[in-house]
């Protein structure tokens, strides 16, 4: 039981490039989330999903897209990367009930 | 809308000293409350949570937090800290009647335990 896995762990992008951050969970959780973490700012919700085929915007969705074709996978797409997207990105999942979220190890992204 | 305020961004303490990390929240509905811990270069791990029942909740490594509804607080305490407790701690709140189970996080408190 691996929990929540994220790839890659690190990535450097040039301005204007695109990439997909991968997130997979093996706990059969319905709910999945993408956050970004910037120093001193806590975690900000980018997008979330309440089940396969259903996604919705969080607090800071601009510049990102998501899809949820399966229960297990919730990739985050960055189109036209900008320096403001330099951050650490965390994926999380939860089941229904008590809202406890399980986090992946994170992806550290630098856009230069 | 909900919000969480962690009153201290950094808390330095000496080993074996007591510590309190403060958290206040605002919400118009009933809430669930959480403390998460993040060790350097790792993801967040749940430390403890309040869902209902006893207002005092404990973790397996000696931390405790008390839900105070009248003061809308959920402060985290430990009577004697260890070097290994050095980490960033995040308070989070969730609407317990909502349908999307979103968490709102505070900005975090960096606890540094010095020898």
């Amino acid at each position: 039981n691996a929990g929540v896995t994220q790839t890659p762990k690190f990535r450097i992008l040039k301005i204007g490039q695109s990439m997909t951050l991968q997130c997979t969970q093996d706990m059969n959780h319905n709910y999945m989330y993408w956050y970004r973490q910037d120093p001193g700012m806590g975690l900000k919700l980018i997008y979330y999903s309440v089940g396969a085929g259903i996604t919705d915007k969080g607090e800071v969705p601009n510049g990102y897209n998501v899809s949820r074709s399966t229960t297990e996978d919730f990739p985050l797409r960055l189109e036209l990367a900008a320096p403001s997207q330099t951050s650490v990105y965390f994926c999380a999942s939860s089941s229904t009930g008590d809202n406890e979220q399980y986090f992946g190890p994170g992806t550290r992204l630098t856009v230069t | 809308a909900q919000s969480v305020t962690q009153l201290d961004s950094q808390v330095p303490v000496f080993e074996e000293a007591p510590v309190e990390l403060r958290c206040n929240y605002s919400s118009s509905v009933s809430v669930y409350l959480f403390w998460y811990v993040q060790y350097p270069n790792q993801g967040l791990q749940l430390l403890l949570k309040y869902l209902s029942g006893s207002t005092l909740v404990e973790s397996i490594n000696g931390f405790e937090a008390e839900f105070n509804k009248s003061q809308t607080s959920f402060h985290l305490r430990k009577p004697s800290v260890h070097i290994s407790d050095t980490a960033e701690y995040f308070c989070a709140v969730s609407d317990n009647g909502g349908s999307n189970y979103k968490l709102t996080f505070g900005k975090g408190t960096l606890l540094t335990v010095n020898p």
Side-chain angles (χ1 to χ4, degrees):
Chain A
N1 191 337
V4 179
T5 58
Q6 293 183 238
T7 57
K9 290 186 178 180
F10 304 95
R11 184 71 185 269
I12 299 174
L13 280 182
K14 294 188 184 300
I15 294 171
Q17 287 185 323
S18 300
M19 76 164 294
T20 299
L21 282 66
Q22 301 292 345
C23 174
T24 300
Q25 53 93 7
D26 62 1
M27 297 173 283
N28 201 33
H29 286 169
N30 287 328
Y31 298 84
M32 295 188 75
Y33 312 84
W34 274 106
Y35 295 93
R36 59 176 289 171
Q37 182 181 29
D38 300 298
M41 299 302 294
L43 278 77
K44 303 290 188 184
L45 183 65
I46 304 171
Y47 271 95
Y48 67 98
S49 169
V50 300
I54 306 170
T55 63
D56 206 348
K57 296 178 181 179
E59 185 179 358
V60 290
N62 291 342
Y64 307 94
N65 277 301
V66 294
S67 59
R68 185 96 183 269
S69 58
T70 67
T71 300
E72 296 78 19
D73 300 306
F74 190 42
L76 178 71
R77 178 82 177 162
L78 279 71
E79 305 282 1
L80 299 175
S84 61
Q85 294 178 303
T86 293
S87 189
V88 182
Y89 291 85
F90 288 100
C91 180
S93 70
S94 69
S95 64
T96 56
D98 64 9
N99 302 23
E100 177 181 348
Q101 293 186 13
Y102 297 80
F103 283 80
T107 294
R108 186 174 296 273
L109 176 67
T110 302
V111 182
T112 63
Chain B
Q2 299 164 325
S3 66
V4 176
T5 302
Q6 291 185 241
L7 295 158
D8 305 292
S9 60
Q10 297 186 51
V11 174
V13 295
F14 288 108
E15 193 173 19
E16 298 183 5
V19 71
E20 179 180 77
L21 307 184
R22 297 179 292 170
C23 173
N24 287 92
Y25 70 93
S26 67
S27 176
S28 58
V29 298
S30 296
V31 297
Y32 294 149
L33 292 158
F34 304 81
W35 276 101
Y36 281 83
V37 59
Q38 184 181 32
Y39 298 104
N41 299 314
Q42 295 187 25
L44 278 71
Q45 305 171 32
L46 182 69
L47 187 61
L48 47 75
K49 60 186 177 185
Y50 169 78
L51 305 179
S52 64
S54 172
T55 57
L56 184 66
V57 292
E58 299 177 351
S59 72
I60 59 173
N61 58 351
F63 283 93
E64 64 179 31
E66 186 161 19
F67 170 52
N68 188 318
K69 188 175 182 179
S70 62
Q71 298 187 6
T72 61
S73 68
F74 191 55
H75 301 332
L76 182 70
R77 303 182 182 94
K78 189 171 185 179
S80 176
V81 294
H82 303 289
I83 298 285
S84 59
D85 293 323
T86 293
E88 190 154 23
Y89 293 79
F90 293 92
C91 182
V93 63
S94 176
D95 169 7
N96 73 6
S99 60
N100 55 40
Y101 303 98
K102 292 190 292 184
L103 290 177
T104 299
F105 285 87
K107 293 184 177 182
T109 297
L110 180 62
L111 174 65
T112 303
V113 181
N114 298 301

